[in-house]
Amino acid sequence: MDLTSKSPMKKRSLVFFLVPHFTMLPFSAAVETLRIANRMLGYSAYTWRLCSVDGEKVYSSSGIGLEVNSSLTDERRYLSGENRPNMVIVCSGIYVEEFRNKSVNAWLRETYNRGIAVGSLCTGAHVLAQAGLLNGKRCAIHWENLPGFAEAFPQAEVYADLYEVDSNLYTCAGGTASLDMMLNLIGQDFGENLVNRVCEQQLTDRVRNPHDRQRLPLRARLGVQNAKVLSIIELMENNLSEPLSLVEIADDAGLSRRQIERLFRQEMGRSPARYYLEIRLDRARHLLVQSSMPVVEVAVACGFISASHFSKCYREVYNRSPQQERAERKLNTNTSRTGVVV
């Protein structure tokens, strides 16, 4: 089959907007997928340029700096000229909650309103949501950032999927999922034959479904084989803001409280109540680190009846208070901004 038969000289231009501390893996996976597609086609069907707010070099979370081709001012001017892109993709990573720029928000809204596709990699959905583009839209974000995102942007329909495409909005959870989202784009443009050839070059054995899970299944993640224990843990993870009582869990599992206690001691080395507390505190830690929610709101979101009880439990498990956890995050953020890689 002629790879270009669908549209002999179809071209798509992209702008990758780099947010400080962006993650290299999803960015490089996206760009390399497009580069390989060009090689297979024999011409530059996909072109791209890098953009930052001020047109200056941007450092990734790994400390590697990338020179860019344009500034925000340039890109706003390009929207009405021959350099107008077909797609803009926001690339971010850690500390995305610290990035707030009204000019970027306005540019993204203008871009989308002009019929240009807008997307994000890794935590970039935060930036799109700040711009108001994800209200009532399906989107994906890295699982680690999902709790904080869901609390900060309740109007967005966020899922722990690899990627989501809703009308002209493309969001991706990051990591190697950006490869899958780019393959989806290539498939739209040139069909399955080209997608298969790109996969062969990347040593990728299959194109993952956008709704494939981000994290390992519980069985693999926890090293637990008992189906009843796994179903109870899944029930717990789905009820963190309003914890279930052991009686309710027992009724759902069709076991007695004593049986559940014995199973958790055998499989998890702790009581079900202790395990439930630990996963609620783990979510709280993610919210403290990945969001600016007040501590009392974090406590409520994780099912604690009071901030004092939350702080007591948190200190017992992590040997620091929630306030100290957040202060340490701010210190690490400020250190990263000085250019010192830790």
Side-chain angles (χ1 to χ4, degrees):
M1 180 187 295
D2 180 3
L3 291 175
T4 62
S5 61
K6 209 175 210 184
S7 182
M9 290 298 290
K10 183 176 180 67
K11 292 188 175 183
R12 187 189 289 264
S13 62
L14 299 92
V15 172
F16 289 95
F17 178 75
L18 305 183
V19 175
H21 310 296
F22 72 96
T23 308
M24 282 292 290
L25 176 57
F27 166 75
S28 58
V31 171
E32 282 299 292
T33 301
L34 299 176
R35 180 192 67 80
I36 293 171
N38 285 345
R39 180 167 171 245
M40 296 297 99
L41 287 167
Y43 75 98
S44 296
Y46 298 98
T47 57
W48 54 87
R49 59 180 177 262
L50 310 186
C51 172
S52 68
V53 172
D54 54 8
E56 297 297 319
K57 179 186 290 188
V58 183
Y59 286 89
S60 70
S61 58
S62 58
I64 297 173
L66 293 185
E67 299 286 354
V68 301
N69 310 105
S70 62
S71 67
L72 195 60
T73 301
D74 295 329
E75 291 300 333
R76 298 195 80 163
R77 186 173 68 252
Y78 292 158
L79 285 177
S80 57
E82 61 181 13
N83 289 322
R84 169 190 169 107
N86 302 110
M87 189 173 197
V88 169
I89 297 179
V90 176
C91 308
S92 61
I94 59 175
Y95 310 132
V96 68
E97 299 85 1
E98 305 292 328
F99 182 80
R100 294 181 178 85
N101 189 301
K102 292 182 179 179
S103 295
V104 170
N105 294 344
W107 167 58
L108 290 172
R109 285 193 295 268
E110 183 180 3
T111 298
Y112 182 74
N113 290 336
R114 285 174 176 259
I116 298 171
V118 176
S120 65
L121 304 181
C122 196
T123 61
H126 260 278
V127 183
L128 270 56
Q130 285 176 12
L133 295 180
L134 297 182
N135 293 345
K137 302 292 186 181
R138 293 179 63 92
C139 61
I141 197 168
H142 192 279
W143 64 265
E144 189 176 36
N145 300 82
L146 196 151
F149 180 91
E151 294 289 342
F153 305 106
Q155 291 178 301
E157 298 178 17
V158 63
Y159 298 91
D161 293 337
L162 296 183
Y163 66 92
E164 284 285 349
V165 181
D166 191 334
S167 58
N168 224 16
L169 291 166
Y170 294 71
T171 53
C172 163
T176 57
S178 65
L179 183 154
D180 299 284
M181 190 169 80
M182 290 300 106
L183 289 173
N184 174 273
L185 192 68
I186 292 167
Q188 292 177 35
D189 292 341
F190 294 100
E192 186 178 350
N193 191 33
L194 179 58
V195 170
N196 291 337
R197 291 192 63 187
V198 172
C199 286
E200 288 176 344
Q201 289 292 315
Q202 293 177 318
L203 307 184
T204 303
D205 64 349
R206 68 185 180 97
V207 180
R208 291 181 292 181
N209 185 286
H211 306 302
D212 282 359
R213 66 173 73 233
Q214 292 181 24
R215 304 183 72 181
L216 290 172
L218 276 175
R219 188 182 302 274
R221 185 163 22 119
L222 301 176
V224 174
Q225 301 301 318
N226 189 288
K228 281 292 186 182
V229 172
L230 291 171
S231 66
I232 292 170
I233 291 174
E234 186 173 7
L235 184 66
M236 290 176 173
E237 291 187 347
N238 290 333
N239 292 274
L240 298 180
S241 59
E242 297 183 8
L244 302 173
S245 68
L246 189 53
V247 172
E248 291 172 312
I249 292 173
D251 288 343
D252 189 275
L255 298 172
S256 68
R257 294 179 57 182
R258 182 171 296 181
Q259 286 174 313
I260 293 175
E261 290 277 359
R262 185 173 66 253
L263 281 173
F264 266 74
R265 296 281 182 191
Q266 290 173 348
E267 299 286 344
M268 308 305 298
R270 52 176 77 67
S271 70
R274 180 66 182 185
Y275 185 82
Y276 206 171
L277 174 65
E278 288 176 0
I279 61 176
R280 287 162 56 209
L281 289 172
D282 181 64
R283 179 180 183 183
R285 186 169 183 271
H286 281 113
L287 289 174
L288 290 168
V289 173
Q290 302 288 351
S291 79
S292 56
M293 289 173 61
V295 171
V296 65
E297 290 185 17
V298 172
V300 172
C302 297
F304 291 91
I305 58 175
S306 68
S308 58
H309 180 233
F310 168 55
S311 294
K312 177 178 180 294
C313 294
Y314 198 93
R315 186 182 292 276
E316 287 177 356
V317 171
Y318 294 114
N319 201 31
R320 62 172 75 91
S321 69
Q323 291 79 4
Q324 288 172 321
E325 187 78 73
R326 177 153 284 169
E328 185 175 329
R329 181 195 74 146
K330 289 182 179 179
L331 178 62
N332 288 339
T333 302
N334 292 334
T335 300
S336 295
R337 284 174 175 165
T338 67
V340 178
V341 180
V342 295

